[in-house]
Amino acid sequence: MERIDGHTILIGLMATPIRHSMSPTMHNNAFAKLGLNYAYLAFEVGNDQLADAVQAIRTLDMRGSNVSMPNKQKILPLLDKLSPAAKMAGAVNTVVNDNGVLTGYTTDGTGFMKSLADEGLDIRGKKMVLTGAGGAGTPIAIQAALDGVKEIAIFNRQDAQWKQAEKNVEMINAQTKCHASLHHLEDRADFKHELAIADIYCDSTGVGMKPLEDMTLVEDPTWFHEDMIVFDTVYAPRETKLMKVAKEAGVKHVLNGLGMMLEQGAEAFKLWTGKEMPVEYIHQLLF
Ligand code: NAD
């Protein structure tokens, strides 16, 4: 409370539902630790209030905001500029206000890549198999392609997200040096074959999280090999069924989505403040 005064700079989070979010705790503790005069507050904002809320960033001279569901795509036309990755992903999770000019970024993909780097893992020039093409899968695929991953095989089921998966593949092939391909998740032989030649498998479907915590898209450990990375974007539970199967297969690097969650926040923190978030401190504090 001692930090909050007449000079405090406000940063928001605009989404609904939003009361469960860990972001306010994460950012406010990081501001306090570094002695920065910022405050981060969550606002219950849906599509109907979004234009007013975005205008308020300018009016109130807020430094920026995070954006989550259902606003990640709807916010695009309300902003002045977009980062290359946000433009390609067609989604924004972070807004920065520079004297009334609002720029949209997506930090989920950089958070994913940074969380691998934190473990000493470099997937540039490598082959990735990715399941899912939604709010997490899309920025992961785009950022991995932009950062130099050689090949991405995207598997999705035939649902509403299939079209997004098609778009992602098209865009990656047109705008990056990475080769992307789209596969039917229902084709188990193809899925098994692609996993056998992959350097990293990332599951961004949320299978493994409530109410699907006893499920995994890969049940047979022989589909994995020891030298690959298995990454689940889920972080509750800490160890998903997928991670258990990968460990049974002897996979050396098995990661959950906790590092990605912290690093996407750290990336936004840096965009707003220019400072590095004390990630290790926040990790200890929250988990
Ligand atoms: P989304 O609904 O936008 O996309 C889900 C994707 O998974 C789609 O491609 C869909 O076709 C596929 N899918 C869903 N259910 C499936 C099933 N039963 N079988 C096969 N495919 C299925 O969701 P999202 O926003 O991308 O979130 C997905 C997961 O990623 C969630 O568990 C979320 O918690 C996690 N996530 C983690 C982080 C992080 O920082 N670690 C960030 C964002 C999302």
Side-chain angles (χ1 to χ4, degrees), residues 56 64 87 111 131 167 169 184 199 222 227 240 287:
K87 201 173 191 170
T131 41
K167 220 167 121 186
V169 165
H184 292 276
D199 299 297
T222 66
D227 296 327
T240 60
F287 303 102

Side-chain angles (χ1 to χ4, degrees), residues 69 72 108 131-138 155-162 165 185 203-207 209 212 215 217 231-235 256-262 264:
M69 297 315 281
K72 282 186 169 184
D108 284 327
T131 41
T138 295
F155 283 80
N156 213 87
R157 60 181 188 182
Q158 282 286 347
D159 64 8
Q161 223 62 42
W162 179 262
L185 188 57
D203 183 12
S204 74
T205 64
V207 171
M209 194 178 74
L212 305 176
M215 277 183 64
L217 298 176
F231 190 109
D232 199 332
T233 58
V234 171
Y235 53 85
N256 64 23
L258 196 58
M260 174 177 162
M261 202 274 282
L262 287 165
Q264 64 75 31

Side-chain angles (χ1 to χ4, degrees), residues 3-275:
R3 290 186 307 115
I4 311 282
D5 62 16
H7 299 278
T8 302
I9 300 164
L10 180 61
I11 293 171
L13 167 58
M14 299 171 177
T16 184
I18 202 52
R19 299 300 164 200
H20 66 282
S21 172
M22 289 175 82
S23 292
T25 313
M26 174 163 77
H27 287 290
N28 287 316
N29 276 293
F31 296 145
K33 176 75 176 167
L34 298 188
L36 299 174
N37 199 353
Y38 289 80
Y40 183 110
L41 292 180
F43 298 105
E44 198 84 42
V45 172
N47 287 168
D48 290 347
Q49 303 84 30
L50 189 61
D52 283 349
V54 170
Q55 187 51 30
I57 298 176
R58 297 187 182 93
T59 310
L60 303 179
D61 200 20
M62 293 166 64
R63 178 61 177 136
S65 185
N66 272 141
V67 182
S68 195
M69 297 315 281
N71 301 321
K72 282 186 169 184
Q73 281 132 7
K74 292 276 183 214
I75 198 169
L76 263 70
L78 303 170
L79 301 174
D80 302 303
K81 294 200 283 187
L82 294 173
S83 72
K87 201 173 191 170
M88 283 178 77
V92 159
N93 78 339
T94 302
V95 177
V96 178
N97 178 12
D98 291 305
N99 302 314
V101 178
L102 303 187
T103 306
Y105 298 84
T106 172
T107 67
D108 284 327
T110 40
F112 166 74
M113 293 298 288
K114 184 79 198 322
S115 71
L116 289 171
D118 290 345
E119 299 295 322
L121 301 171
D122 184 359
I123 59 170
R124 286 173 300 175
K126 303 276 176 66
K127 177 184 171 79
M128 171 154 82
V129 169
L130 174 67
T131 41
T138 295
I140 285 174
I142 302 285
Q143 196 63 47
L146 286 172
D147 284 358
V149 166
K150 192 174 81 188
E151 209 182 321
I152 307 177
I154 299 175
F155 283 80
N156 213 87
R157 60 181 188 182
Q158 282 286 347
D159 64 8
Q161 223 62 42
W162 179 262
K163 279 214 162 327
Q164 182 66 47
E166 282 180 332
K167 220 167 121 186
N168 294 349
V169 165
E170 212 172 283
M171 217 155 22
I172 288 169
N173 288 332
Q175 297 183 36
T176 75
K177 290 187 179 135
C178 174
H179 174 69
S181 54
L182 182 55
H183 305 249
H184 292 276
L185 188 57
E186 293 83 358
D187 186 343
R188 306 299 287 172
D190 185 29
F191 190 26
K192 181 181 175 184
H193 167 73
E194 290 292 322
L195 282 173
I197 54 172
D199 299 297
I200 174 167
Y201 168 52
C202 173
D203 183 12
S204 74
T205 64
V207 171
M209 194 178 74
K210 262 189 182 155
L212 305 176
E213 67 263 48
D214 293 327
M215 277 183 64
T216 168
L217 298 176
V218 183
E219 288 178 336
D220 184 344
T222 66
W223 287 25
F224 292 135
H225 57 91
E226 280 181 20
D227 296 327
M228 70 191 302
I229 302 164
V230 172
F231 190 109
D232 199 332
T233 58
V234 171
Y235 53 85
R238 293 283 183 277
E239 187 174 78
T240 60
K241 181 92 187 290
L242 168 68
M243 294 170 67
K244 287 193 177 98
V245 172
K247 283 179 184 172
E248 202 185 321
V251 173
K252 286 187 201 108
H253 302 289
V254 182
L255 307 176
N256 64 23
L258 196 58
M260 174 177 162
M261 202 274 282
L262 287 165
E263 291 294 359
Q264 64 75 31
E267 178 81 9
F269 188 91
K270 190 164 187 188
L271 286 167
W272 295 317
T273 66
K275 303 265 193 285

